[in-house]
Amino acid sequence: LPGVVAAVQGRVPVIVDGGVTRGADVLRGLALGASIVCVGRPLLWALAADGKAGAKMALGMVREELSTALALSGVAGVDGISRDLVQAPGDPRPRL
């Protein structure tokens, strides 16, 4: 993802869609430079299981997980997400 973000140089939004099932996945996508992170599969499963109420509950769970991931990262909100929150393959090891 960082390579894609660098290649488009802000000319188009970078959208992550696929494999996102938890709030921490949303945090990772945004930290790696995505403009938008789509959370489709969990909502569709919940919608199939319990209709609108299930989808609403699933979305609330993802929001709560994102809130927890932000708090554990020491970030107050999505505007505070930065690239240094995650280590992607090929990144240098962080100094402790």
Side-chain angles (χ1 to χ4, degrees), residues 5-53:
V5 172
V8 300
Q9 299 177 348
R11 292 186 304 263
V12 295
V14 175
I15 302 170
V16 172
D17 184 18
V20 179
T21 58
R22 299 186 158 281
D25 299 331
V26 175
L27 174 63
R28 278 189 287 275
L30 294 173
L32 289 172
S35 309
I36 300 166
V37 179
C38 300
V39 183
R41 193 177 314 162
L43 297 180
L44 291 176
W45 289 337
L47 184 64
D50 195 25
K52 182 179 176 181

Side-chain angles (χ1 to χ4, degrees), residues 70-88:
L70 289 168
L72 291 171
S73 300
V75 179
V78 292
D79 291 336
I81 296 173
S82 63
R83 177 66 176 83
D84 63 336
L85 289 177
V86 296
Q87 183 177 359

